[in-house]
Structure formats: structure tokens, C-alpha cells
Amino acid sequence: MPPAAEFTDSTSPRGRLRLSTRTAIRAGRWAAGASRRLGKGEGMVVGGRVMMRLAPHLIEDLAGDRVAALVSATNGKTSTTRLLAMAVSQTGSVLTQETGANMTSGVAVALADGDRDAPAVLEVDEAYLPLLAPQLRPRVILLANLSRDQLDRMNEVAMTARKWRVMLRGLPDVTVVANADDPVIAYAASDHPHVVWVAAGQVWTADAVACPDCGDLLSRDGSDWSCPGCSRSRPEPRWRLEYSADPANTASRAVCGEDVYNLSDLSLPGRFNAANATMALAVCEELGLDLDRSVQLMNGVAAVSGRYATVVVGSLRIRLLLAKNPAGWSELFDVMPPAPTPVIVTINSNAADGKDPSWLWDVPFEKLRGRTVIATGDRRYDLAVRLLHAEVDHHVIADPYRPDADLPAGVRDLEVIDCAATYTAFHGLRTRADREAKR
Amino acid sequence: MSTSTQQLTIVSIYPTLLGTYGDGGNVLALAHRARLRGYEVTTVSVAPGEAVPVSADLYVLGGGEDTAQTAAARALIADGGLARAAAGGSPIFAVCAGYQLLGHTFPTADDSAVAGLGLLDVATSRLPRRAVGEVSSLPSPHAPDGLDAPLLGYENHAGQTTVGPGASPLGIVTHGVGNGDGTEGAFTGRTLGTYLHGPCLARNPRLADLLLSWALGVQLDDLVEPEVEQLRAERLRFLAQS
């Protein structure tokens, strides 16, 4: 991100903002600049905090009535937001986060930074959504999935769903686009008067075993589900994703009544991105956009904040994959080239990764059998023990990118090698690639 | 016991309800270390509502959220199979929520006390502050023979667990919270509970081997795996620095 441009135009004299908001934005810009000059990062968090301290109503003031949509989920927030923002760009410029910063400061800075007349499409952290949605007053809220993630700091899944449910009670005028195939999402949205249900699929079901309402075990039949205890069941979807996983011919399409939209030309890989696009398309319909044009624009999104981007780190060319929890992992194996192609897996346990890597044991790493895995990251030894039990061949290497690293046979011959990384490892690799490219 | 046929049957109790923190890894670790010794291992997962088989060699329970824990305790009491297996001398290994529900009582989200199975003489109330982080202990003076290495794991719970006279603490806490009174976990006979996940038995192979020797009725030779020792050494270094 170009640091100096972060807050440009934020105080343009349009006269619609309260004086305290304008003052707060100036102070936030100053604080962010000071933080950057002191070498403490991009200054977004500090800038956002200063702004919010000086003008607690700042987000409400900057949001006005221009927030088109909010996107929240455990997985796919950033990708779905980018797909949707690209589709909305058919009407002109769009305000969205460039960095994926999706808590209070990130949202405040994004709003203060951008074009004040542009519609906003924003991703919001699932724990912050109940706080931010009433201030942002969006036309549409997209709720895609909830599963276990960073349990050392986050709420349990059912608790988040209960908080969303209470939040939606206070937002009767918003339209909710929700995944009917995720029983936890269905529970969160089911009482709302205007829900557009999308059958977007659910591959990881381990966090939706018991009914979030009554606790009985759910009955499942394919993507259909129902609760024998309280008679909740999968809502009838308006939209559905049809996905063929045949490796020779993966095909996907979004279907709404008689209308069929081909999603096979999406640049982003995998079933989950077809699901993200289907949900984004349902939002586009609610926003009155041209849906064929929306698909065309979404097809052009190739890499989202570094996800799926190919970068050079040290002596290796890697394709970056973000893999931060069991649900995300469970769909990631399918986008990797088949065995025996080796892969790199990087596991960290900083605060943003979750400090407890126990979740590695919920990931079906057995699917990597037949390949060699390069295990790296701060928690490479935890990964190695997991791979040992999964009977996956592995090499533990602290820094596989060094020219003298002792890599498994064949790795240096690969044109590009997939590297699945947790959040801070992923960003560390992006930063390192950027830094090395500038040399 | 099925020593003569070289078979081992492990029952995983309600993994859909009690499996929040990678607890399936404990079953994998037991099966892995038994197979390396030449045993043929069968793993049986029991879902709530299904009968718990009473004649298996080893029973494993994991951790779970409050509502899942209450549902699991009710289903296990109604079924009665696990209590009969314990009375028959089968070893039981339980982590976190599973540990609590083997005791007399544990608290729900609104702090009312729920009856557990009473297979371990422990009772759990609520800690003033949730215990989240690395946890390690040294085997307590009462710990079963064969446990002589630090026990390493991660804890994430709100339980203050008091060990009664009918049970003994498993460890003395050297880092973290554990039971909340300086001890960690508890055991009586062949029923053993702990707050360590991580999962526990992958990180603590001697504890895994203790359970296997109880289940198989034999002494097991040492079996050292470099990956596991490297992980333990790395975690001990981390604890020494924090």
C-alpha cells in the first residue's frame, strides 16, 4: 500500500461531515504518519484508533447511506469482498478495503480514505460485525459460513451465531444473503424478514453437527439438513451453486430459477471460490446490477491480496495459498496439483494465526500422502508430528528459500511450488517477496 | 483384553460432540504407537444415541463446548456403557470437557451444576478467569509408574477442578493453570483425565504408552520418534523463555 496516499481526500470540503469527524480524520492521519515514521508499520491501527477516540460516531458519519454490502464469514471474506467489489464497479468507482483490515480501525480508515461518493463494499471480521453493522447500515449483509478458527481468542461458533441473530433483530430493513447449507448461518439469519438463501455448499461440517438452537444432532442427506429436535431445516434456496469436481473438467455455475450463470471461467480456483462468487452474485441481484456483466468482472479477479499469487522468495518460485483453519484446509487440497508434486506447508502460531495449533489435528493431512511436504514456519515441529501420524513423507526445514537449503529431490526442478501458509506466515512471505523484488 | 490376538480396540466417545481441539489426534497417537509395536488396531467412533460397547480395550474422550459437554454427559449417563466398561477395568482417557464430565459435577454456561458420570472423584466449578495458553506439569508424586517426563500441552477452559480423596492429581503445574490449585489432571485406577490438549498423547508419548500398557496388559519397550522429541524440546525451550 502506498503509505502517503492512505488518507488523501478524507477532508475534502464537501461539508457533509461533522466538524469532529473532520478533526478526527486529520488527527488520525497525523498519528498514522507518525507511526509510519517511527517504523511501526502502516499506521492503520493507530490512525483508526485515534479517529475513533476523537469521534466515536465517525464510522456512522462516514458511512452515511452509501454502504452497499458487508461480507462476513470465517473463510472467504477477503475473496468474496473483492469479487463483489469488482462486480459493483460496473456502476463506477467502489470503496473497499485494499488490505483486508476488517476490524474497527480497518473499516474506519477505509471509509476515511476513499472516494466519499462511491458505494462501499466492506468485509467485516465475524466478531466485530455486531458492533459495526448498525453503524454502517448496509443495504445487504452477506453471511457465508462459520467454523472453528483461532479458538484461543475467538468465540465458540454457536456464540457468534447467537450474537449475529441478536444483531439482525436490530436491522430489520437490511437484506441478508445467507448460505442455506450452513446450519449455523441458517440459525443466525432464520428469523430475519428478508433473507435471500443461497445453497453455496458446506464441505467442513464438523462445527455444524448439533443444532445451534436446541442442541439435538442434525440429520443430513447430502447438502440437505434438518433438526429432529426443533424441526429446523435447510431453507429453500433462491440461488444455488452447481459444481462438478471432475478433475478433468471442473465446471461450476450459479442457478437462480430459470437463469444460469456460468462460473467456470473464474480465475480464482476451487469450489469455495465458485461458492463465494455465487453468494456475491446473489448480492448483485439485490443491488440491481447486471448479472452477466457481474460474472464477467468477477472472472477477471486473479489474485486477492496475494492469495493464489505466484511470487519469488529466495531461490523458489511459489504459489501462495492462505490456509488458516480446518475448514479452509479441507477445500485447499483440491486446488493443489496432484501427488507426487511436493508442497510447502508453513505453520505459525502468532496472535493472528491462533496461538494454539491443535487445529492441525482436525485437518485431513492424510490427503497429502504420496507427496513430500516441506514443513516450515515457527510450528514446523508440530506439523512434522502431525504429518508423521498422517503417514506423509516430510522434511523439516527452517528456511527452505535459502539457496543452500537441503530440499527434497525434484523441488528445485519445479517451475512453481504451492505454499500453503497460515496468516502471519502468508504475509511474511509476501513481504519478503516484495522486499527481494526491489533489490 | 486381547493381548493373545495382538489386537487393540479403541473407542472414541462422541467425537462429533467432544472434539473441538484436535482431540481426534489422541486416538491417532494411540493407534500409531500400538501399530508400531505390531498390534492390529481397530478404532470405533460412537455417536450420541449409539450404545457404548463395554468390552473395548481403551476409551477416549475429548473436549467440547458447554452445550455439547452437557449433551454428552446426559447421553453417557443414560447409556451406562462407559460406567460398565470402567467397572470392568478398561482404561479411560479424557481431555478437558471429557475430563470434567467424568467427575461428579461441572458448570454450564450459566453456572448451574450438571451431574457428571462420577467415574473420577473430582468436582469442577468455574475459574474466575478462563485459562488459555501453554500448560506443562511434572508428574505428581502419586503419578502412575512410567510417567517421568514433563507433560506438555495447551489448555483452554474455565474449570476449577478439585481432586477428592478417591483420586490423585496427575501432575504438578510448572506453567499454566491446570486444575487451578497447582495440580493438573487426575486419575484413579485406570481412569485418567487432563486439561492438556495439543493433542496430549501426540505430545506426551510416555502417557500414550502408559494407557496402552494398561489396555494391553503388557509392559511396552521404549519407542522414541525424532519428530516428537524435537517438538518436545522446542516446546520446553519456548516455556523456558516465556
Side-chain angles (χ1 to χ4, degrees):
Chain A
M1 185 170 54
E6 195 168 298
F7 295 112
T8 50
D9 295 331
S10 59
T11 51
S12 61
R14 303 191 68 87
R16 275 188 271 133
L17 298 175
R18 301 183 210 191
L19 179 62
S20 59
T21 298
R22 296 202 302 270
T23 308
I25 290 169
R26 275 190 218 105
R29 177 203 284 163
W30 180 86
S35 172
R36 276 193 300 275
R37 283 190 296 277
L38 291 168
K40 299 195 174 197
E42 291 174 345
M44 168 127 54
V45 171
V46 171
R49 280 197 188 138
V50 167
M51 284 194 269
M52 293 304 295
R53 182 66 61 85
L54 292 174
H57 51 75
L58 175 130
I59 286 180
E60 207 172 339
D61 209 11
L62 287 170
D65 59 358
R66 62 155 167 166
V67 178
L70 302 183
V71 175
S72 199
T74 302
N75 286 328
K77 288 182 286 290
T78 304
S79 296
T80 307
T81 301
R82 184 63 55 84
L83 289 167
L84 182 57
M86 192 56 87
V88 173
S89 73
Q90 67 187 263
T91 62
S93 76
V94 179
L95 185 145
T96 189
Q97 291 110 318
E98 295 300 324
T99 61
N102 58 20
M103 299 181 194
T104 306
S105 287
V107 166
V109 168
L111 287 169
D113 180 23
D115 179 348
R116 283 250 302 284
D117 291 324
V121 174
L122 299 168
E123 66 166 284
V124 181
D125 179 89
E126 51 274 34
Y128 282 76
L129 187 65
L131 172 76
L132 293 175
Q135 301 175 47
L136 291 164
R137 284 166 293 147
R139 286 172 64 188
V140 184
I141 298 181
L142 191 169
L143 303 177
N145 56 72
L146 281 174
S147 66
R148 64 188 69 175
D149 188 30
Q150 299 179 45
L151 288 171
D152 60 303
R153 76 170 182 94
M154 297 288 272
N155 285 315
E156 292 169 340
V157 168
M159 179 67 79
T160 303
R162 283 194 283 275
K163 288 180 176 173
W164 282 10
R165 208 172 152 80
V166 172
M167 164 192 81
L168 289 177
R169 257 182 233 142
L171 299 168
D173 298 329
V174 76
T175 295
V176 181
V177 170
N179 184 359
D181 293 342
D182 184 335
V184 183
I185 293 290
Y187 166 70
S190 60
D191 282 353
H192 197 270
H194 192 188
V195 185
V196 177
W197 295 105
V198 183
Q202 184 186 42
V203 170
W204 171 263
T205 57
D207 291 303
V209 170
C211 174
D213 198 4
C214 76
D216 256 31
L217 287 192
L218 296 174
S219 310
R220 283 184 180 267
D221 178 12
S223 61
D224 204 10
W225 57 266
S226 60
C227 174
C230 63
S231 71
R232 274 180 187 283
S233 61
R234 174 176 175 261
E236 189 55 41
R238 171 172 174 79
W239 285 84
R240 68 177 193 275
L241 165 66
E242 292 182 356
Y243 184 77
S244 154
D246 177 4
N249 182 27
T250 57
S252 55
R253 51 190 207 162
V255 180
C256 178
E258 301 287 300
D259 300 326
V260 177
Y261 300 89
N262 177 28
L263 298 179
S264 301
D265 297 327
L266 284 174
S267 305
L268 294 180
R271 191 213 68 86
F272 49 94
N273 277 316
N276 293 340
T278 303
M279 299 205 68
L281 208 51
V283 176
C284 292
E285 184 189 30
E286 295 308 307
L287 295 175
L289 299 174
D290 179 324
L291 299 186
D292 291 313
R293 181 77 187 122
S294 298
V295 172
Q296 272 177 8
L297 288 163
M298 292 196 290
N299 285 344
V301 177
V304 179
S305 300
R307 293 157 179 81
Y308 321 108
T310 297
V311 299
V312 175
V313 179
S315 63
L316 295 178
R317 182 180 293 274
I318 61 175
R319 182 171 70 144
L320 280 169
L321 304 171
L322 181 66
K324 52 184 186 171
N325 55 35
W329 259 108
S330 65
E331 298 209 56
L332 203 65
F333 297 109
D334 294 335
V335 308
M336 294 175 170
T341 312
V343 295
I344 302 173
V345 178
T346 312
I347 305 296
N348 280 357
S349 64
N350 297 310
D353 305 298
K355 290 185 176 178
D356 176 11
S358 300
W359 59 269
L360 292 173
W361 294 82
D362 291 324
V363 177
F365 280 115
E366 288 77 5
K367 290 189 176 180
L368 292 177
R369 278 179 197 162
R371 321 170 180 255
T372 297
V373 173
I374 296 171
T376 184
D378 298 342
R379 302 307 292 267
R380 55 192 179 275
Y381 297 113
D382 293 77
L383 176 63
V385 171
R386 174 69 189 97
L387 294 172
L388 172 75
H389 286 76
E391 297 171 20
V392 175
D393 182 39
H394 55 275
H395 286 227
V396 178
I397 304 177
D399 184 354
Y401 308 102
R402 288 167 55 121
D404 60 348
D406 184 17
L407 298 179
V411 167
R412 292 205 190 276
D413 303 331
L414 291 172
E415 198 171 304
V416 59
I417 181 167
D418 272 1
C419 174
T422 58
Y423 194 80
T424 66
F426 180 91
H427 286 286
L429 287 165
R430 283 187 75 196
T431 308
R432 184 168 166 184
D434 285 349
R435 198 176 57 228
E436 290 175 356
K438 282 179 192 145
R439 267 186 209 153
Chain B
M1 296 297 154
S2 47
T3 320
S4 59
T5 55
Q6 298 279 294
Q7 299 242 342
L8 175 75
T9 302
I10 305 171
V11 173
S12 173
I13 302 283
Y14 305 164
T16 52
L17 288 178
L18 300 175
T20 305
Y21 298 103
D23 299 294
N26 288 320
V27 177
L28 289 181
L30 289 165
H32 172 76
R33 293 183 74 79
R35 284 196 187 104
L36 288 175
R37 270 89 172 219
Y39 289 86
E40 197 173 298
V41 181
T42 307
T43 301
V44 180
S45 290
V46 179
E50 293 175 8
V52 175
V54 294
S55 59
D57 299 307
L58 183 52
Y59 296 78
V60 180
L61 295 86
E65 302 184 359
D66 289 339
T67 48
Q69 182 185 23
T70 305
R74 285 192 185 135
L76 285 171
I77 291 170
D79 175 71
L82 189 63
R84 285 200 294 282
S90 292
I92 301 174
F93 174 69
V95 175
C96 201
Y99 167 39
Q100 294 179 358
L101 68 77
L102 290 186
H104 302 298
T105 58
F106 61 88
T108 59
D110 60 5
D111 273 348
S112 54
V114 179
L117 277 73
L119 301 178
L120 253 183
D121 185 14
V122 299
T124 302
S125 56
R126 191 163 294 277
L127 281 170
R129 194 161 156 257
R130 197 171 176 87
V132 184
E134 295 284 327
V135 56
S136 67
S137 72
L138 291 171
S140 81
H142 314 282
D145 287 346
L147 278 191
D148 52 7
L151 296 164
L152 305 176
Y154 197 93
E155 63 183 336
N156 188 346
H157 65 95
Q160 165 101 38
T161 298
T162 306
V163 182
S168 303
L170 181 66
I172 305 298
V173 171
T174 50
H175 191 102
V177 176
N179 290 335
D181 62 357
T183 68
E184 202 297 302
F187 74 101
T188 184
R190 293 174 168 182
T191 300
L192 191 152
T194 175
Y195 277 115
L196 273 60
H197 65 256
C200 180
L201 299 181
R203 281 201 195 182
N204 299 286
R206 282 165 191 271
L207 183 56
D209 284 357
L210 174 72
L211 294 163
L212 286 174
S213 69
W214 284 350
L216 297 163
V218 296
Q219 285 296 315
L220 295 169
D221 292 335
D222 274 356
L223 195 161
V224 174
E225 295 183 290
E227 284 94 338
V228 177
E229 297 310 314
Q230 282 169 345
L231 170 60
R232 288 180 59 81
E234 186 270 327
R235 285 291 90 195
L236 285 167
R237 279 197 302 275
F238 174 84
L239 289 172
Q241 287 161 11
S242 57

